[in-house]
Amino acid sequence: MNMLEIHNLHASIEGKEILRGLDLSIAPGQVHAVMGPNGAGKSTLGAILTGRPGYEVTEGSVTFMGRDLLAMSPEERAWAGLFLSFQYPVEIPGVSFTNFIKAALNATRKARGQEELKAGDFLKLMKEKMSLLKMKGEFAKREVNAGFSGGEKKRAEVFQMAMLDPSLAILDETDSGLDVDALKIVSAGVNSLRTPEKSFIIITHYQKLLEYIVPDVVHVLKDGRIVKTGGSELADKIWKEGFENID
Amino acid sequence: MAERVYIAGIDEIPAKISVGKDELLSMTVIVFPGFSGSIPLEVLLKGSGSEVQLRGLYISSGEDKLSFDIKVRHEAPMSRSSQLFNGIAAGCASVSFHGLILVPRDCQKIKAFQENRNILLSESATVETSPTLEIYADDVECSHGATTGSLDPTELFYMRSRGIPETEARTLQMLSFLAPVLSGISDPVLRRRIARRVEKAVRGL
């Protein structure tokens, strides 16, 4: 069974159709890159999959691990194992990362019928994932994304992903705002989470990130549908020739 | 520094306070659900270099009727004032905030700030806010603002996408909204004690 099946997806925002018949299948363990020019619908795809308010699905279906994803609330999708690394992570001043991620993790465990993590085990897990992403100890006490640079926010997104351990993670332009060093750290973090069961969708403009996180499949999204699918060599071709010549 | 924290309905809140030369008054007023009444407060900045940091946190619900009537009078040069009032109105609560900053002609090198932010949790709750400036001096750095809105949907979605259930996400949002007022309380023991009560009140909404 595929982890994710998207069939003939049409979606619009404020009455404007963005996705126009998108098909995509992702098997467990695969990394798919979705590339495309501005306005192609890349971020809309991430928004639809995670249930962001304001987007309307007008046609098509999305099945995630055998379940009708579109019928689920955003938190139910998270509990089922879906994660989105936001292109623009949200600042929540006054709430510490520790409390935030603890609330997320424990709610997820509860929904899955697991016990809450003991305080000691939780802190151990925090430390482990922080060191994976080379984050300083003070990070745990900081308020969620408040006053973070663009790069720090992206790194914090991948940290949250590592904590929540999703089955399918969507990385929406995680490379934007990262310098080369941070890109390497974030990529190494993502690569360390790759297993034969977990899948990833990497949404990006550039092929740079795909040199570090090598995808199994590359898709080109244009005008709301996938116009070309290939192996990782497709990313290089796009880099050399641009999106214009792909159809 | 004088730090004062008052809980409406429990502590007696002085209606008039004077601040002398180079003194700093740090004052926080907390209003929990179940309180109805008017809170008049006049602060006189009497001495040069005097400063007041005024904060308010209010959570009104049910049929609560709350009104603040705040006056800050700069009566000496080089005096400073800041005001931050953040509140949540739920149920059928009605809240009004009247804030006045007064700077007379002969009072120079003044800094005065006032901010009033409100969150409405229901359509039947009302907030009326009128921050007012009366400034007759020239050398004054001054700003004021008031907002009334609902909880930010993007924040809410961000938390839910992490698996935080909607109710808990709303609670965290409200605590986040009130946090800047609490962080102004410098005594950590007192701050934590108030923060626990605030959290309980928010969870009870």
Side-chain angles (χ1 to χ4, degrees):
Chain A
M1 187 179 72
N2 272 332
M3 174 169 286
L4 185 74
E5 270 312 334
I6 302 177
H7 179 64
N8 189 33
L9 186 64
H10 289 255
S12 48
I13 181 163
E14 288 166 359
K16 192 182 167 216
E17 189 169 52
I18 310 283
L19 298 183
R20 304 154 188 257
L22 187 143
D23 293 291
L24 182 64
S25 302
I26 297 180
Q30 286 187 333
V31 174
H32 287 233
V34 175
M35 303 181 75
N38 276 332
K42 300 190 299 295
S43 289
T44 299
L45 176 62
I48 293 288
L49 292 180
T50 47
R52 190 180 193 120
Y55 291 81
E56 195 192 353
V57 174
T58 49
E59 206 181 327
S61 65
V62 181
T63 311
F64 177 56
M65 295 168 94
R67 297 172 67 185
D68 176 6
L69 189 72
L70 300 176
M72 296 156 78
S73 70
E75 54 267 46
E76 284 170 339
R77 299 178 197 210
W79 302 336
L82 189 67
F83 180 91
L84 171 70
S85 169
F86 278 52
Q87 184 179 3
Y88 304 108
V90 177
E91 299 192 12
I92 312 171
V95 177
S96 74
F97 257 110
T98 303
N99 287 343
F100 178 72
I101 206 75
K102 196 189 275 177
L105 194 59
N106 281 333
T108 302
R109 291 180 68 90
K110 196 176 159 194
R112 292 177 182 169
Q114 298 166 315
E115 278 185 29
E116 291 195 353
L117 272 187
K118 290 195 184 79
D121 292 338
F122 173 77
L123 290 176
K124 214 174 118 188
L125 188 66
M126 283 271 294
K127 265 193 187 155
E128 185 193 315
K129 301 305 182 191
M130 280 164 61
S131 95
L132 176 71
L133 289 155
K134 299 192 163 47
M135 303 174 100
K136 293 191 185 99
E138 66 186 35
F139 165 79
K141 286 187 193 140
R142 289 183 68 180
E143 299 169 1
V144 177
N145 295 324
F148 280 33
S149 70
E152 282 179 311
K153 284 181 184 170
K154 296 303 175 74
R155 199 188 294 203
E157 291 289 289
V158 176
F159 161 77
Q160 292 181 45
M161 181 179 94
M163 287 295 289
L164 296 170
D165 198 26
S167 308
L168 173 63
I170 306 160
L171 278 67
D172 188 3
E173 308 256 357
T174 297
D175 44 348
S176 68
L178 289 184
D179 59 28
V180 175
D181 291 332
L183 192 65
K184 282 181 184 169
I185 293 167
V186 163
S187 307
V190 171
N191 285 328
S192 74
L193 301 172
R194 286 176 77 163
T195 68
E197 294 83 35
K198 289 184 198 307
S199 310
F200 294 85
I201 299 175
I202 316 263
I203 296 172
T204 183
H205 265 295
Y206 308 105
Q207 91 340 335
K208 191 82 198 157
L209 179 68
L210 305 179
E211 287 176 13
Y212 298 101
I213 308 171
V214 181
D216 300 299
V217 186
V218 175
H219 306 277
V220 177
L221 184 62
K222 251 176 137 175
D223 299 325
R225 60 206 307 178
I226 286 172
V227 295
K228 198 171 183 72
T229 294
S232 61
E233 73 287 344
L234 181 56
D236 300 322
K237 185 175 151 71
I238 291 166
W239 184 243
K240 290 192 187 96
E241 300 174 15
F243 290 112
E244 287 293 307
N245 303 312
I246 307 273
D247 47 42
Chain B
M1 181 186 79
E3 168 144 19
R4 306 183 188 196
V5 178
Y6 299 96
I7 296 175
I10 294 175
D11 304 313
E12 194 173 326
I13 304 170
K16 203 168 189 174
I17 301 178
S18 294
V19 188
K21 188 176 180 327
D22 296 325
E23 273 179 10
L24 168 63
L25 167 68
S26 168
M27 175 168 171
T28 309
V29 176
I30 312 275
V31 181
F32 287 116
F35 176 86
S36 280
S38 156
I39 301 176
L41 175 65
E42 187 171 7
V43 177
L44 306 166
L45 293 161
K46 288 259 184 209
S48 85
S50 59
E51 178 173 0
V52 61
Q53 296 170 359
L54 209 53
R55 286 173 296 271
L57 181 162
Y58 45 97
I59 304 165
S60 296
S61 65
E63 305 281 327
D64 294 347
K65 288 191 178 4
L66 170 68
S67 79
F68 281 103
D69 189 2
I70 310 288
K71 287 192 184 81
V72 171
R73 291 180 188 274
H74 286 263
E75 296 187 346
M78 288 181 288
S79 54
R80 293 183 298 275
S81 68
S82 67
Q83 296 176 56
L84 176 65
F85 283 77
N86 285 8
I88 297 171
C92 299
S94 73
V95 173
S96 71
F97 179 90
H98 302 285
L100 172 67
I101 298 172
L102 251 154
V103 183
R105 190 180 304 276
D106 52 351
C107 228
Q108 302 294 352
K109 298 201 184 307
I110 301 296
K111 283 184 181 173
F113 302 97
Q114 183 185 63
E115 204 182 333
N116 175 225
R117 299 172 65 206
N118 298 283
I119 292 219
L120 288 173
L121 284 192
S122 78
E123 282 181 12
S124 35
T126 57
V127 171
E128 183 212 332
T129 174
S130 61
T132 317
L133 302 174
E134 273 185 40
I135 294 174
Y136 301 99
D138 329 309
D139 192 357
V140 174
E141 200 183 311
C142 189
S143 76
H144 72 155
T147 58
T148 301
S150 45
L151 292 169
D152 176 31
T154 309
E155 257 180 36
L156 187 65
F157 171 65
Y158 185 68
M159 291 195 262
R160 293 178 72 189
S161 81
R162 297 300 185 241
I164 300 176
E166 188 171 357
T167 319
E168 181 64 18
R170 285 182 182 279
T171 299
L172 289 177
Q173 272 189 291
M174 287 187 256
L175 295 176
S176 163
F177 169 74
L178 298 172
V181 178
L182 291 175
S183 63
I185 301 174
S186 55
D187 177 351
V189 179
L190 187 60
R191 184 174 61 234
R192 276 197 293 273
R193 202 172 76 213
I194 300 282
R196 272 197 297 274
R197 290 194 57 180
V198 166
E199 181 169 341
K200 205 176 153 200
V202 166
R203 287 188 185 282
L205 285 176

